[in-house]
Amino acid sequence: MNMRFLILTNKSLLYAFRIVIGCLIVWWSLNAVGDAKKIFAVISVIVVSEPDPDLLRKSAVSRIINTLIGCALGLLSMSVLGINLWSLMIAITISVLISTSFKNYPTSWKLAPATVAILIVPAITEHEPYSLAMQVALVRTGEVLYGSLVAFLLGLFLTFWRKNLINRYLGEEEKKVEEGV
């Protein structure tokens, strides 16, 4: 039986390292400002992180746009329709219609309705008053945006570092070897 379906590469190790570093950054920084949950920031680091810089940019932009769409619709729905099941269903429907209406919409379009659910479902199930539900919704949205930003900036930094610093150093070492130094 061939076990070649699982191959550990430098790229996968670097990718795992990037995600762990991003998770540690959001964990410790949010802990420093008193955020007790941190879950949505950590998830966002994982969802947005990509080994390829172009995919990283697209993933971060898509996550941010879809989060903002879902947040706006969730908050609007709770403020206009109240905190109830129908408010949730209407906001999910509208978020799906909006996020899939873009030409060549990204595969992450599902993040908009997921954000709506993340904001409204706990408010319904925990019977939160309107003001608390809005506050919690904004904190969760902030965590998502913060985690996305950390993943994006960390990815850019590590890509720059790898391309400019490491490749330059390795390039100089290879020249020395070729020159016999």
Side-chain angles (χ1 to χ4, degrees):
M1 179 176 196
N2 188 354
M3 296 295 289
R4 300 290 298 169
F5 65 89
L6 181 64
I7 301 171
L8 192 59
T9 65
N10 285 344
K11 188 175 186 177
S12 60
L13 289 171
L14 289 172
Y15 189 44
F17 174 76
R18 179 184 297 181
I19 290 173
V20 168
I21 294 299
C23 289
L24 288 172
I25 289 169
V26 299
W27 188 273
W28 288 331
S29 60
L30 289 175
N31 196 53
V33 297
D35 186 334
K37 300 220 177 188
K38 305 168 199 66
I39 182 80
F40 297 106
V42 170
I43 290 170
S44 293
V45 168
I46 296 165
V47 170
V48 169
S49 293
E50 291 286 345
D52 178 78
D54 289 332
L55 289 175
L56 172 68
R57 182 184 50 76
K58 289 177 186 175
S59 178
V61 168
S62 176
R63 176 84 169 161
I64 289 168
I65 289 171
N66 282 300
T67 296
L68 291 174
I69 289 170
C71 177
L73 289 170
L75 293 174
L76 180 65
S77 181
M78 284 192 291
S79 65
V80 172
L81 303 171
I83 301 171
N84 56 59
L85 179 62
W86 295 112
S87 172
L88 172 66
M89 293 301 117
I90 290 169
I92 287 174
T93 301
I94 294 170
S95 69
V96 169
L97 293 172
I98 290 173
S99 57
T100 59
S101 294
F102 293 107
K103 188 175 183 177
N104 299 324
Y105 58 87
T107 56
S108 63
W109 66 268
K110 296 174 189 136
L111 294 173
T115 301
V116 167
I118 287 167
L119 299 184
I120 299 177
V121 168
I124 295 170
T125 59
E126 295 170 17
H127 308 288
E128 294 175 344
Y130 176 77
S131 61
L132 179 60
M134 291 298 179
Q135 179 184 357
V136 170
L138 290 172
V139 167
R140 287 182 180 145
T141 301
E143 285 182 5
V144 169
L145 296 174
Y146 179 61
S148 299
L149 180 65
V150 167
F152 178 69
L153 293 176
L154 183 62
L156 289 180
F157 173 76
L158 292 175
T159 299
F160 171 81
W161 183 64
R162 183 179 50 90
K163 284 184 177 179
N164 292 317
L165 302 177
I166 292 179
N167 288 346
R168 184 181 309 154
Y169 175 76
L170 289 178
E172 290 174 9
E173 289 297 315
E174 289 172 2
K175 286 179 188 176
K176 287 179 184 177
V177 170
E178 288 176 6
E179 295 171 356
V181 175

